[in-house]
Amino acid sequence: MLRKNTLEYNVLSKDGEFEIRKYDAFYIVEHENKSKMGMNGVYNDLLNYMNYDNDKGVKLDLVTPVLVKTGNDRKIMAIVVPKKYKGDVPSPLKKELRVQYIDSAIYVAIRYRGAATTQNINRHIEKLNHWVESHNLIRESGYIRAYYDPQLSVSFLRRNEILVEVSADNLIGPLIG
């Protein structure tokens, strides 16, 4: 069951801890951490954007999950823009933030609980990678970490996910049944 302010998706297939999901197009506001400010500083910039620091001077509701993409010495954190701003997303005032349109796509997800430690993340990426390869799916993206709960929540109750976009070309038979 999805929470009220959660990015919507349709589950096409479920296999144990793995889900194949279809996400409709949506907007994010992202911040690439090119400095040594740490991800808390990046999150604060995104939080300020949501709290009136945008060209419309509006307060945006938080939509979960908060997304983190890493790779090639890059670390990007992003928030999902509420659906009501579709096509009219408030522009960030801070130059480090940028609005991005994410097209409709198919993702494989693995959900896990607990702290987002490097060891826990890597273990679930490995499991996800093995599942994707064993089902002959073609990856279309790097891994995206999705966080649904605040950092201060009890770690064993947290909902975390790892997502990877896959090509829809070979999603046939039992994979989408």
Side-chain angles (χ1 to χ4, degrees):
M1 181 170 87
L2 293 178
R3 298 171 193 178
K4 181 179 177 190
N5 285 329
T6 298
L7 181 61
E8 296 176 4
Y9 57 83
N10 292 314
V11 177
L12 303 177
S13 179
K14 187 167 175 60
D15 179 17
E17 60 191 336
F18 301 96
E19 288 182 347
I20 297 176
R21 301 174 180 170
K22 180 177 187 302
Y23 287 85
D24 290 332
F26 60 97
Y27 286 91
I28 61 171
V29 173
E30 66 180 21
H31 186 314
E32 182 172 354
N33 187 6
K34 294 181 179 179
S35 68
K36 299 194 184 299
M37 75 187 317
M39 291 311 274
N40 285 337
V42 169
Y43 183 72
N44 287 339
D45 285 350
L46 291 167
L47 197 59
N48 289 338
Y49 163 78
M50 292 170 42
N51 288 312
Y52 307 104
D53 195 20
N54 54 68
D55 70 337
K56 295 185 185 333
V58 296
K59 181 173 175 59
L60 286 76
D61 294 329
L62 176 64
V63 177
T64 60
V66 172
L67 305 171
V68 176
K69 301 181 270 183
T70 56
N72 299 332
D73 296 326
R74 298 178 72 198
K75 190 173 246 186
I76 299 169
M77 182 179 282
I79 56 168
V80 177
V81 176
K83 279 195 314 190
K84 73 179 185 178
Y85 294 104
K86 183 178 180 179
D88 192 27
V89 177
S91 295
L93 297 179
K94 193 164 184 93
K95 66 179 171 75
E96 291 83 6
L97 302 178
R98 67 178 176 260
V99 175
Q100 293 284 28
Y101 175 78
I102 307 298
D103 208 354
S104 175
I106 306 292
Y107 291 84
V108 177
I110 183 172
R111 184 182 300 193
Y112 67 97
R113 298 213 179 273
T117 62
T118 301
Q119 181 181 9
N120 206 5
I121 292 167
N122 288 341
R123 184 165 52 92
H124 286 89
I125 285 175
E126 188 175 305
K127 288 169 84 172
L128 180 60
N129 194 42
H130 176 72
W131 192 90
V132 167
E133 286 177 3
S134 70
H135 288 82
N136 298 315
L137 299 176
I138 300 165
R139 283 188 9 193
E140 297 286 331
S141 75
Y143 297 101
I144 302 166
R145 300 188 325 247
Y147 300 106
Y148 289 81
D149 300 301
Q151 279 188 318
L152 297 177
S153 60
V154 179
S155 69
F156 68 87
L157 296 177
R158 290 183 197 159
R159 175 183 174 188
N160 303 311
E161 295 177 343
I162 308 287
L163 302 147
V164 66
E165 184 181 351
V166 294
S167 172
D169 292 345
N170 57 347
L171 286 178
I172 57 172
L175 282 180
I176 58 169

